[in-house]
Amino acid sequence: MIEAVMPTYARIGISFERGEGAALFTADGRRFLDFGSGIAVSLLGHSHPALVKALTDQAGKLWHTSNLYEIEGQKRLAKKLVDNCFADTVFFCNSGAEAMEGCIKTARKYHSANGNPERYRVITFEGAFHGRTLATMAAGGQKKILDGFGPVVDGFDQAPFGDLAATEKLIGPNTAAILVEPVQGEGGVRVGERAFLTGLRRLCDKHGILLLMDEVQCGMGRTGKLFAHQWTDIAPDVMGLAKGIGGGFPLGAFLATEEAAKGMTAGSHGTTYGGNLLAMAVGNAVIDQVLAEGFLERVNVVSSRLKQGLAAIADSYPTVIKGIRGTGLMLGLECAMTNGDVATALRERQLLTVPAGDNVVRILPPLVVTDAEVDESLELIESACRDLAGGESAS
Amino acid sequence: MIQGAHFLSIAETPEAELRAVLEDSGRRKAARQGRPKAAPDDDRPMDGRLLVMIFEKPSTRTRVSFDAAMRQLGGETTILNAGDLQLGRGETIADTARVLSGYCDAIMLRTYAQQNLTELAEHATVPVINGLSDSGHPCQLVTDVLTLEEYRGPSRGQIVAWCGDGNNMANSWIEGAARFGYRLRLACPVGLEPDPKVLRWARDNGGDVILTNDPRAAVDGADCVVTDTWVSMGDDAADRHNRLAPFQVDSALMAAARPDAIFMHCLPAHRGEEVTPEVIDGPQSVVFAQAENRVHAQKGILNWCLSTTT
């Protein structure tokens, strides 16, 4: 008999009662280090006082009005976002998939507004993950996700990640945009090389198409800059955000330049819940923390400490970890054995991580992780590697 | 008891001291623009002092740059070949150290084994300088950081990509990451990675050092791309070329670095092997400015080593 909760997840048999910073606690008092952050969502850890206050204060006043009316919190958060990136305008929604749908719709509408409705196709990359709606599944192009859901939404062409020449070959008269994650998360924490990302910008400019970026996972300070593409000298035309932007409260957004958003006029797009008062209260509290002086500098320092420690472990246990990928606090262990086994060994030591494609284990601690917690995690990882390697160290 | 300080490795030299060496090197370089190469600096700090240089391995840059450096500082040099000296064979290193300490004010040794340097330093009463050993090339590293900072500004936070063999030069770059604060990305072939102990030391001392087997990943966004000859003096050439071929620094690899990235090589270079002519002779290459900086860096090192002598 089917469970009351639809069994679409292979859940791990642990539930948590409360959280504090980077730690989660079970009802029986066991403490886990949460280096998965609910898949890169709990940006400021659990029960952050500023977020709790923002949400509870707002909850006592007003939850929802719909977007039929003005929502001051949207204006404030949008202003903070556009003041700190390439974009001129923001649309708030509820999730990453919805944000990415918005990006794709914006690109199609842009060309339509320019008199070229035939330009609707979007080039995406192998290993990508853009969400689970029909269009974003098609954009991700992964067979295991598409299988059994009927005809694949038309309009997506896929190139190997990092291959500029193959990308350019796919550009045709119907191409509207290129969509890329600056750092692929689900695909295995693969960092898009600077030359690749700048090359994509060049291709878009050359062919009059838009560059869309999916920063749902890598955005909001996760890599040590507010947005991952800010490590390069280029910017997209449209960008999708979610996960960290709400710090655990469901919130997504897509941002665009004024030019790219020219087709997104009144009535062209909408949402019932997106950007409601509760979400905006939390979103504003999150970004205020991330933009606070010294916050991102601290992310860079602590991430270096973590990455160096992981690299040292990889050097010592090459039969368990082949190498370290990623940037900032979006890191990946390239496993020499099955990544599920590595993640399980870590969980048995009460360290939570997230498996990813390409046989990688994602390490995604909250951005407020302390040095002591980093050191503790490294001890746990080293202990797991030692056991998995049969006690042998290479050094 | 030694008068002055040994310069045996980057790891053994404190950060503040290395910074002082760099500052002195840069200041002296700026102060003598346009002078004939053998003309002394105004203050002649090495006036009356003698540097003995011992070479177990042949050398162009180390030999001439130390010679020029000592002359510019007002001192003199004597050059010995290890074969003449019977270093470590006919006469013990300890005895050599004691004897030479009576003749000169500093000893520079270019040797195969770091152990020779350690032993020489242990018994010498004058400063001993590592002019290259199997485990490091600290004088070259000081030069390289001097050059990096000339072209790209303060080294802290910059990304340096090392492509190729995890050799003695790589070791010094690794140690330098902990001392100078640049972020080092090493791409080395499987089996030619640097010594894990050196990596561990650097990381334990705050160095941001990542080792990979993928040169593109290492070079991505780098401020500086560095490589070295595939077959160093004394190395066995067998199969190294095949293993190192994917690590060649060519235009495509340089394109993955920052557009204003510089290319460095400590020379001698083999065009078409570790680096293509387009790169080493191209606009991003600073190898000859880097080579010239050997003189300026040696001056900083000599001054630092001998600054406490009376």
Side-chain angles (χ1 to χ4, degrees):
Chain A
M1 198 173 83
I2 194 165
E3 296 164 40
V5 175
M6 193 176 285
T8 56
Y9 301 102
R11 296 179 196 266
I12 294 155
I14 308 172
S15 63
F16 297 102
E17 187 182 54
R18 65 184 181 90
E20 191 179 320
L24 282 171
F25 298 88
T26 58
D28 60 6
R30 282 181 298 155
R31 170 181 170 273
F32 286 69
L33 264 184
D34 184 7
F35 274 39
S37 296
I39 320 186
V41 167
S42 309
L43 198 75
L44 302 176
H46 302 284
S47 307
H48 191 288
L51 273 57
V52 172
K53 182 171 190 314
L55 183 62
T56 49
D57 283 356
Q58 185 61 46
K61 287 193 278 188
L62 184 61
W63 291 19
H64 179 78
T65 62
S66 88
N67 283 296
L68 294 172
Y69 306 99
E70 297 285 350
I71 295 174
E72 288 304 317
Q74 288 191 11
K75 293 178 184 172
R76 286 203 308 277
L77 181 53
K79 177 81 168 55
K80 290 169 197 167
L81 287 166
V82 301
D83 281 352
N84 286 281
C85 75
F86 71 96
D88 302 309
T89 188
V90 184
F91 181 96
F92 293 106
C93 50
N94 304 287
S95 70
E98 215 182 322
M100 295 321 300
E101 287 263 356
C103 292
I104 296 161
K105 285 179 73 175
T106 302
R108 288 188 177 191
K109 199 74 169 173
Y110 166 76
H111 289 290
S112 175
N114 282 340
N116 303 305
E118 77 286 359
R119 302 192 79 161
Y120 70 96
R121 303 192 71 81
V122 176
I123 296 170
T124 64
F125 295 96
E126 290 170 12
F129 182 85
H130 298 296
R132 298 252 189 193
T133 61
L134 287 170
T136 55
M137 277 162 50
Q142 294 191 40
K143 191 173 176 306
K144 67 176 182 185
I145 287 172
L146 287 163
D147 259 5
F149 288 106
V152 176
V153 172
D154 179 41
F156 298 96
D157 303 297
Q158 206 157 48
F161 188 64
D163 190 336
L164 278 177
T167 307
E168 186 160 26
K169 273 192 197 153
L170 289 175
I171 298 174
N174 300 122
T175 305
I178 295 172
L179 166 59
V180 66
E181 295 158 277
V183 184
Q184 285 191 341
E186 179 77 18
V189 195
R190 297 199 293 173
V191 181
E193 290 181 356
R194 177 186 297 258
F196 174 56
L197 297 175
T198 54
L200 292 181
R201 179 71 268 174
R202 200 170 56 246
L203 286 182
C204 288
D205 294 342
K206 179 179 164 189
H207 294 279
I209 58 180
L210 299 183
L211 181 59
L212 320 180
M213 281 190 183
D214 179 341
E215 294 227 16
V216 166
Q217 186 164 153
C218 61
M220 295 308 295
R222 176 64 51 192
T223 68
K225 295 259 191 196
L226 186 59
F227 302 114
H229 72 264
Q230 290 173 336
W231 287 107
T232 71
D233 305 319
I234 58 120
D237 301 294
V238 188
M239 173 174 72
L241 296 176
K243 291 188 182 282
I245 191 175
F249 196 92
L251 174 59
F254 62 93
L255 295 73
T257 62
E258 185 171 5
E259 172 67 11
K262 70 199 294 184
M264 302 302 279
T265 51
S268 61
H269 194 53
T271 164
T272 299
Y273 298 111
N276 85 1
L277 289 100
L278 295 174
M280 290 302 98
V282 180
N284 274 292
V286 168
I287 201 166
D288 287 347
Q289 297 290 319
V290 175
L291 293 177
E293 195 178 341
F295 183 90
L296 290 174
E297 286 79 358
R298 161 76 192 151
V299 171
N300 285 305
V301 171
V302 79
S303 65
S304 180
R305 185 184 188 95
L306 177 58
K307 192 170 184 181
Q308 295 310 302
L310 293 174
I313 293 170
D315 292 343
S316 297
Y317 298 97
T319 58
V320 183
I321 300 173
K322 285 197 294 188
I324 305 303
R325 296 181 180 180
T327 180
L329 287 174
M330 187 172 180
L331 299 174
L333 310 178
E334 290 178 58
C335 298
M337 53 181 55
T338 310
N339 60 348
D341 291 346
V342 175
T344 300
L346 296 175
R347 193 170 60 249
E348 284 167 354
R349 286 162 177 78
Q350 294 174 205
L351 176 68
L352 303 177
T353 57
V354 187
D358 223 11
N359 204 31
V360 162
V361 169
R362 272 177 282 184
I363 307 280
L364 303 161
L367 306 192
V368 295
V369 68
T370 64
D371 285 354
E373 286 160 341
V374 163
D375 293 347
E376 183 185 351
S377 76
L378 292 170
E379 281 173 26
L380 296 173
I381 294 167
E382 181 148 27
S383 154
C385 288
R386 194 161 44 241
D387 281 2
L388 290 167
E392 295 287 322
S393 161
S395 60
Chain B
M1 188 184 150
I2 181 187
Q3 293 189 307
H6 299 308
F7 188 68
L8 302 180
S9 70
I10 296 297
E12 288 165 90
T13 314
E15 182 179 344
E17 306 291 295
L18 286 165
R19 188 47 66 186
V21 167
L22 275 183
E23 282 169 10
D24 186 43
S25 302
R27 195 166 49 244
R28 286 184 179 277
K29 177 179 179 178
R32 63 172 294 115
Q33 294 298 320
R35 289 196 189 198
K37 298 294 188 293
D41 291 355
D42 290 337
D43 57 348
R44 300 175 64 99
M46 294 289 149
D47 200 9
R49 290 194 170 134
L50 177 67
L51 170 72
V52 163
M53 295 190 272
I54 309 170
F55 289 93
E56 283 187 37
K57 289 176 163 186
S59 160
T60 302
R61 273 156 296 278
T62 299
R63 178 176 178 145
V64 179
S65 63
F66 261 112
D67 198 42
M70 201 60 189
R71 288 174 195 229
Q72 289 181 11
L73 293 170
E76 297 193 24
T77 60
T78 290
I79 295 168
L80 301 168
N81 294 317
D84 304 336
L85 196 66
Q86 300 298 316
L87 183 74
R89 287 191 287 160
E91 186 170 28
T92 66
I93 291 177
D95 286 354
T96 303
R98 289 187 193 105
V99 170
L100 289 180
S101 296
Y103 297 158
C104 67
D105 299 282
I107 305 168
M108 191 286 292
L109 172 62
R110 189 180 182 87
T111 180
Y112 288 94
Q114 183 79 11
Q115 179 57 33
N116 288 346
L117 277 158
T118 311
E119 207 173 328
L120 192 67
E122 201 175 310
H123 298 282
T125 56
V126 298
V128 173
I129 297 169
N130 179 354
L132 179 103
S133 75
D134 58 345
S135 61
H137 199 353
C139 295
Q140 180 71 52
L141 195 275
V142 171
T143 301
D144 295 348
V145 176
L146 180 66
T147 311
L148 177 69
E149 298 202 336
E150 278 179 0
Y151 282 86
R152 297 303 312 269
S155 58
R156 187 159 296 279
Q158 291 199 39
I159 300 177
V160 175
W162 170 274
C163 293
D165 191 4
N167 61 10
N168 48 359
M169 195 62 242
N171 285 348
S172 289
W173 274 105
I174 294 166
E175 292 173 0
R179 292 292 186 245
F180 294 108
Y182 52 77
R183 300 153 69 193
L184 184 63
R185 307 287 175 252
L186 295 137
C188 306
V190 172
L192 293 176
E193 292 98 344
D195 185 344
K197 289 194 202 76
V198 180
L199 286 171
R200 190 167 282 270
W201 176 88
R203 287 172 180 146
D204 287 348
N205 284 274
D208 181 343
V209 183
I210 295 294
L211 177 62
T212 170
N213 301 125
D214 178 359
R216 287 293 297 257
V219 166
D220 183 37
D223 298 278
C224 173
V225 179
V226 194
T227 188
D228 195 0
T229 180
W230 286 347
V231 184
S232 293
M233 286 172 281
D235 282 340
D236 177 3
D239 103 319
R240 294 174 65 86
H241 280 64
N242 287 339
R243 294 164 79 179
L244 284 157
F247 295 79
Q248 182 188 61
V249 181
D250 58 14
S251 302
L253 192 62
M254 278 304 288
R258 290 183 62 90
D260 53 354
I262 57 171
F263 171 78
M264 293 210 279
H265 189 306
C266 62
L267 304 177
H270 296 84
R271 288 169 174 77
E273 291 188 4
E274 73 274 11
V275 60
T276 59
E278 297 79 45
V279 170
I280 193 168
D281 300 319
Q284 289 172 278
S285 172
V286 299
V287 295
F288 296 107
Q290 181 191 359
E292 185 203 312
N293 273 344
R294 291 294 308 268
V295 177
H296 308 298
Q298 318 294 33
K299 290 167 73 178
I301 292 163
L302 284 163
N303 260 341
W304 177 75
C305 287
L306 288 158
S307 63
T308 51
T309 50
T310 51

